[in-house]
Amino acid sequence: MTVKNVHVDVLVVGGGIAGMQSALDLADQGYRVALVEKEPSIGGKMIMLSKVFPTLDCCSCITTPKMSAVAHHDNIELLTYCDVQAIGDRPGGGFVIDVVQKPRYVDIDTCTGCRQCEYVCPIDLPSQFDRELGAVRAIRVPFSTAVPQKAFLDIDNCILCGKCQQACPVEAIDFAQQPETFTVEAGAIILATGFELTPAGAKAEYGAGELLNVVDALVMERLLAPTGPYGHVLRPSDGKEPDSIAYVQCAGSRDKTLGVEYCSRVCCMYAIKQAMLLSGALPLADITIYYMDIRTFGKGHEQFYQNAKAMGIEFVKGKVARITEDEDKNPVVRVELIEDGSKVVERAHDLVVLSVGMLPGYNPKSLYGVPVADDGFAAIPAPNIRPSVTPKPGIFVTGAAAGPMDIVDSIVLAGAAAAEAAAYLEEVRTPSPQRAAIEEAVHA
Amino acid sequence: MTLTREEAKQRTAILKQVRDQHQETVDRTRARLKDQQTVRRQICQQLRGGPKIVPEIAEATGLPAHEVLWHITAMKKYDLVVEVGQCGEYYQYAMAKETES
Ligand SMILES: Cc1cc2nc3c(=O)[nH]c(=O)nc-3n(C[C@H](O)[C@H](O)[C@H](O)COP(=O)(O)OP(=O)(O)OC[C@H]3O[C@@H](n4cnc5c(N)ncnc54)[C@H](O)[C@@H]3O)c2cc1C
Ligand code: SF4
């Protein structure tokens, strides 16, 4: 493995859609960028999705080209499976960042991504990419559209039998690999560390993650994706094709008991999207969406909602109080209807999807010195005029690291963060009184 | 690629050394693999008798249906099992070799 010390204009942290877009926006304008991603592949959550609202574009068809553009750009140094360990100020401006390359146990320059190692590996493990419904091997190329298309070994779930080493045609597997630390020098940093989902066990009323046929919406994305674990929409308890599917909206957002008072902004739209895709995949299935109110504020979103209603998707205004299961593992939804005189009804479905919320995934305070706001996402002192500027000079934020947002908004904010970072670099080189005044206003 | 004797020896030595360093996870994973093999043997035995749906395999083996589905999904991904059609609300699976012949 050859890791060198890297000198760039901007370090982008996180290789989801937001980080990739900021990196590309800067690199296309001639800035040198390093993109550090903690996972073995870039792509973030977006590469897990089936199709995107409101256009219903195939998600991997629009994400994969961005991923390879990042990997092949002359101005981008892609650092996957790396963790930022420490950050210091560089004398004269900018940052010195210590990064550790975690061992892949595979030489990334030699590996051709042929997956022969994966096929001989005897260990099947739950696939995080398929939300544990599918399997991966201990040594694997992370997923079919991973970038880089290179294997890595999950040594904590390996018996070290050495079969992969015998199978690899190019001698890429190296059990002696060790973590390696190197430094990145950068003039500015963009945080694009994304979000996490409401944990499965969050709500006892909804089964606390124990009911097999109550899944979260990212599971449904995988079930709907052509590369998904089953190749069909089946329910996890027994592989039955569901005939009745229900969505529970705001499952983890706008919920004081969970300390999440905000609206996650994407759940109404992704539920409508999935409902539409389901009525295509399972034309005979009944699809119900239990909601408190539907929020469709984006371009083309309201039309999307109206189309879903016209397709026969049932929207039921009500508050889901509890989900239990019957003896056939069918989830039973107890709902207090809002429009029907507060009547409480119980309805059984084959599969229930929780429209889980977007939670902060990473706290940048201790390492980057960027505080978080009350909602747990990065603090943004002037959201109206500079939505990608954090309180820490030289560090910017984009995508869901700044708060719940969809792909369109992530891309817009990524461009904004790139422009702010570029302006900051210029400012350090040739200070101007006008910008100094703006800075002062923001950081006051 | 063929290794020289010296290279092969060195490889074995490194593997042993790494195994010693990871004794705990290796032992845990070995136990996991044993369980996996026991379950797979039961599932394969059922499939050798002809294509089956998940609840049939679960009932015949006494394994929980969701576990059977997970293993079938894993075996399908790595070409050991194939889907051969639909039977009501369930898909049917068969051993990959049987369907080839
Ligand atoms: C079920 C579901 C369906 C959705 N459907 C749609 C849709 O149809 N249309 C739409 O517009 N939006 C949709 N969204 C929203 C969409 O997923 C987000 O807008 C988008 O993924 C945000 O991208 P991001 O890059 O900010 O974050 P992420 O995708 O979370 O990427 C963050 C990246 O940073 C990495 N990372 C995190 N911390 C660190 C660290 N400390 N160091 C290094 N790397 C780090 C992560 O590994 C990850 O690769 C959906 C969301 C969900 C949950
Ligand atoms: S067998 Fe070797 S070249 Fe092929 S994916 Fe595995 S490590 Fe890479």
Side-chain angles (χ1 to χ4, degrees):
Chain A
M1 195 165 42
T2 46
V3 269
K4 50 212 163 295
N5 292 344
V6 181
H7 288 255
V8 290
D9 296 309
V10 179
L11 174 74
V12 176
V13 185
I17 186 61
M20 291 194 291
Q21 189 62 47
S22 281
L24 288 169
D25 286 345
L26 284 161
D28 284 346
Q29 295 176 65
Y31 292 96
R32 296 272 310 144
V33 180
L35 176 67
V36 53
E37 167 58 56
K38 66 180 166 54
E39 300 295 327
S41 169
I42 51 173
K45 303 280 189 311
M46 186 175 170
I47 193 64
M48 300 167 80
L49 306 180
S50 54
K51 297 190 175 179
V52 285
F53 65 73
T55 52
L56 296 186
D57 286 317
C58 151
C59 208
S60 71
C61 309
I62 60 175
T63 317
T64 327
K66 291 240 191 241
M67 292 161 73
S68 40
V70 166
H72 296 124
H73 206 296
D74 285 343
N75 286 336
I76 299 178
E77 184 89 30
L78 180 56
L79 306 165
T80 52
Y81 214 32
C82 284
D83 286 332
V84 171
Q85 269 197 325
I87 299 185
D89 289 331
R90 183 172 59 181
F95 305 92
V96 183
I97 304 117
D98 291 338
V99 178
V100 56
Q101 171 71 63
K102 295 177 268 191
R104 287 178 91 105
Y105 301 100
V106 170
D107 183 72
I108 196 162
D109 297 324
T110 318
C111 172
T112 62
C114 69
R115 298 178 69 207
Q116 292 193 37
C117 52
E118 189 175 337
Y119 270 82
V120 297
C121 175
I123 318 282
D124 281 330
L125 303 164
S127 157
Q128 300 309 316
F129 189 74
D130 276 335
R131 306 289 288 160
E132 307 208 341
L133 297 186
V136 287
R137 296 269 159 90
I139 190 164
R140 59 187 180 265
V141 173
F143 48 91
S144 61
T145 50
V147 170
Q149 268 291 301
K150 307 281 180 181
F152 81 105
L153 171 67
D154 170 3
I155 203 150
D156 292 332
N157 287 291
C158 173
I159 55 168
L160 291 154
C161 64
K163 281 188 181 156
C164 50
Q165 204 172 33
Q166 287 160 20
C168 176
V170 293
E171 307 283 344
I173 294 166
D174 175 8
F175 289 108
Q177 258 185 18
Q178 298 290 329
E180 280 186 40
T181 305
F182 60 102
T183 58
V184 176
E185 282 189 39
I189 295 175
I190 296 178
L191 294 174
T193 48
F195 68 102
E196 286 306 327
L197 298 174
T198 309
K203 278 190 86 70
E205 306 92 296
Y206 296 170
E210 299 291 321
L211 309 180
L212 291 169
N213 293 322
V214 177
V215 300
D216 69 40
L218 199 51
V219 169
M220 184 50 86
E221 292 289 340
R222 295 309 303 149
L223 293 180
L224 285 162
T227 55
Y230 306 143
H232 311 278
V233 178
L234 305 177
R235 64 179 205 171
S237 74
D238 58 0
K240 180 181 165 188
E241 204 170 65
D243 196 35
S244 161
I245 302 164
Y247 282 81
V248 177
Q249 295 308 107
C250 301
S253 310
R254 308 168 70 197
D255 187 336
K256 279 199 177 133
T257 64
L258 298 178
V260 181
E261 296 189 19
Y262 56 84
C263 160
S264 288
R265 299 182 37 158
V266 295
C267 330
C268 284
M269 283 301 288
Y270 73 54
I272 297 171
K273 166 191 77 176
Q274 293 186 357
M276 283 180 160
L277 296 174
L278 280 168
S279 43
L282 305 169
L284 299 178
D286 295 322
I287 301 158
T288 309
I289 296 184
Y290 297 108
Y291 71 101
M292 295 198 283
D293 41 27
I294 293 285
R295 299 186 168 178
T296 55
F297 52 84
K299 192 176 170 72
H301 292 189
E302 179 63 20
Q303 189 56 46
F304 198 71
Y305 172 37
Q306 297 307 330
N307 291 352
K309 280 204 224 168
M311 284 169 77
I313 291 152
E314 187 193 14
F315 287 82
V316 176
K317 197 170 169 74
K319 175 101 189 83
V320 173
R322 199 169 60 198
I323 308 172
T324 49
E325 68 180 14
D326 68 14
E327 63 278 13
D328 295 322
K329 298 220 176 336
N330 299 314
V332 179
V333 175
R334 186 182 168 85
V335 56
E336 187 185 325
L337 301 175
I338 291 174
E339 282 176 340
D340 215 357
S342 296
K343 207 161 65 183
V344 176
V345 295
E346 288 202 345
R347 286 167 73 176
H349 301 276
D350 290 327
L351 185 62
V352 166
V353 184
L354 300 179
S355 292
V356 288
M358 288 172 91
L359 301 190
Y362 176 74
N363 188 330
K365 180 77 182 94
S366 61
L367 210 46
Y368 297 87
V370 172
V372 295
D374 288 345
D375 59 8
F377 293 95
I380 299 164
N384 292 328
I385 51 166
R386 302 182 77 191
S388 61
V389 177
T390 75
K392 171 105 179 173
I395 302 191
F396 305 91
V397 62
T398 178
M405 68 182 72
D406 65 6
I407 293 162
V408 175
D409 287 354
S410 297
I411 285 182
V412 172
L413 199 60
E420 287 284 3
Y424 177 82
L425 295 174
E426 283 313 310
E427 180 59 22
V428 171
R429 260 174 234 143
T430 42
S432 84
Q434 290 93 325
R435 281 196 63 87
I438 299 176
E439 287 297 332
E440 207 172 309
V442 170
H443 296 295
Chain B
M1 239 182 256
T2 40
L3 299 179
T4 64
R5 259 179 93 155
E6 206 39 52
E7 282 168 335
K9 249 172 120 177
Q10 200 191 345
R11 254 191 184 185
T12 320
I14 291 176
L15 203 53
K16 185 178 176 314
Q17 196 191 343
V18 180
R19 212 180 282 135
D20 290 344
Q21 285 160 4
H22 292 84
Q23 198 58 56
E24 206 183 306
T25 52
V26 166
D27 288 346
R28 173 173 49 71
T29 312
R30 276 210 176 117
R32 182 189 166 91
L33 179 59
K34 256 201 175 136
D35 291 344
Q36 177 184 314
Q37 284 167 341
T38 314
V39 171
R40 295 287 162 93
R41 220 173 289 128
Q42 289 170 278
I43 294 175
C44 291
Q45 197 182 3
Q46 291 305 312
L47 291 182
R48 262 185 234 107
K52 297 226 161 33
I53 62 173
V54 167
E56 284 174 333
I57 304 171
E59 194 173 10
T61 57
L63 294 164
H66 71 274
E67 240 177 74
V68 172
L69 176 62
W70 188 82
H71 285 280
I72 292 273
T73 304
M75 289 192 279
K76 193 161 94 83
K77 173 169 178 186
Y78 291 106
D79 304 334
L80 304 169
V81 158
V82 289
E83 189 184 288
V84 290
Q86 208 171 357
C87 175
E89 304 154 300
Y90 293 92
Y91 284 87
Q92 268 188 326
Y93 305 95
M95 294 301 294
K97 281 195 206 79
E98 276 175 19
T99 45
E100 271 164 26
S101 61

